[in-house]
Amino acid sequence: MRVLRGRAETRASDRQVTAEMLETAGERREPALRVWTPNRQIVFGRRESNEPGYEAAREAARERGFTPLERSVGGRAVAYTGSTLAFALALPIEDPRTGMNERYERASDRVQRALREVGAPVERGEPPDSFCPGRHSLSCRGKLVGIAQRVRSDSALVSGIVVVDGHEEIAAVLEPVYAALDSPFDPGSVGSVERAGGEADSHTVAREIESWLIGDREVRIERVDQVDRVDRKP
């Protein structure tokens, strides 16, 4: 398994790293994994870009120091403070019509175990009116993990967000963003590893999640950059 560490220099190049993982996993028939801290940003789903309040939502993000971006798939807006984790697991597949539930189940189980190891007793599910609502979430005193999946003909990407700390800041920026989009959102529904009583260090949490998602595979470490750091400022 390829294990990529660090963050690329720009937001665009960092997103390209994950896109390359998905493509290469299918071509080489080798899985790849990243667990990292994206730059400070809000990422909107594709359908939100067509909604009447989209420009107002983007401006609300900018006013609070979050760069607005769009992803190529659905779902609702998610916010990264600079210490928020993302993970992406690219897997080669034989048939895009099968295996989706199994991939979701394995990823949910492994991330849940990892967070319990760092002191956050998360459970499956999410409170009402959470950010980016979905069936594959983990919560404890609020939602702190959301998991999604993208499938190609020869590979699949299981990815997600893990809120380590800063849940109040995330709630504060998402409240006007969701209001502009006329989407239900309860600021109190945002959780974090810290709020759940766990380890509030992004590096520690990242390595634990990485370890559980690797399992017993042999790995080859590759650097995305030369400094794997947590940037808490815009």
Side-chain angles (χ1 to χ4, degrees), residues 5-10 36-39 82-85 202-203 207 223 225-234:
R5 289 181 177 171
R7 183 174 67 205
E9 184 175 358
T10 68
W36 79 109
T37 53
N39 285 288
S83 61
T84 309
L85 288 175
S202 294
H203 182 83
R207 291 295 169 264
R223 293 297 307 182
D225 62 5
Q226 295 303 311
V227 182
D228 190 5
R229 59 193 171 89
V230 175
D231 181 4
R232 296 178 180 272
K233 298 298 182 182

Side-chain angles (χ1 to χ4, degrees), residues 7-23:
R7 183 174 67 205
E9 184 175 358
T10 68
R11 290 175 174 85
S13 58
D14 194 67
R15 297 175 76 183
Q16 185 58 37
V17 170
T18 305
E20 180 273 337
M21 285 172 53
L22 180 60
E23 181 176 356

Side-chain angles (χ1 to χ4, degrees), residues 86-232:
F87 64 89
L89 176 63
L91 299 166
I93 61 174
E94 300 298 333
D95 186 347
R97 299 167 297 181
T98 63
M100 178 172 283
N101 291 335
E102 290 79 4
R103 290 188 293 271
Y104 268 128
E105 178 62 29
R106 180 178 175 82
S108 297
D109 176 72
R110 292 306 174 97
V111 174
Q112 182 179 27
R113 289 171 181 262
L115 293 181
R116 288 181 172 181
E117 285 293 323
V118 298
V122 294
E123 301 289 347
R124 304 286 183 96
E126 62 185 13
D129 298 335
S130 297
F131 69 89
C132 198
R135 292 188 297 140
H136 306 285
S137 303
L138 300 175
S139 301
C140 179
R141 300 190 65 193
K143 176 176 176 175
L144 57 142
V145 175
I147 302 175
Q149 192 168 166
R150 179 183 174 190
V151 180
R152 300 182 358 146
S153 61
D154 58 358
S155 58
L157 186 75
V158 184
S159 59
I161 179 175
V162 181
V163 182
V164 177
D165 59 7
H167 57 274
E168 292 179 345
E169 184 180 18
I170 290 175
V173 67
L174 289 183
E175 186 172 20
V177 165
Y178 276 66
L181 295 168
D182 197 24
S183 297
F185 175 68
D186 174 12
S189 70
V190 182
S192 68
V193 175
E194 182 180 41
R195 187 180 184 187
E199 173 63 60
D201 178 72
S202 294
H203 182 83
T204 300
V205 178
R207 291 295 169 264
E208 193 67 40
I209 292 173
E210 183 184 86
S211 176
W212 279 93
L213 289 176
I214 290 171
D216 59 1
R217 297 181 177 98
E218 294 185 4
V219 303
R220 183 175 72 259
I221 305 296
E222 300 178 13
R223 293 297 307 182
V224 173
D225 62 5
Q226 295 303 311
V227 182
D228 190 5
R229 59 193 171 89
V230 175
D231 181 4
R232 296 178 180 272

Side-chain angles (χ1 to χ4, degrees), residues 41-94:
Q41 58 193 14
I42 286 186
V43 183
F44 292 90
R46 174 184 289 175
R47 67 177 181 175
E48 290 176 319
S49 64
N50 296 317
E51 295 179 1
Y54 182 56
E55 289 305 321
R58 289 172 60 89
E59 184 59 29
R62 291 192 193 95
E63 288 174 354
R64 290 157 180 82
F66 288 79
T67 300
L69 300 173
E70 296 173 17
R71 60 182 180 271
S72 60
V73 293
R76 290 292 179 181
V78 294
Y80 298 86
T81 65
S83 61
T84 309
L85 288 175
F87 64 89
L89 176 63
L91 299 166
I93 61 174
E94 300 298 333

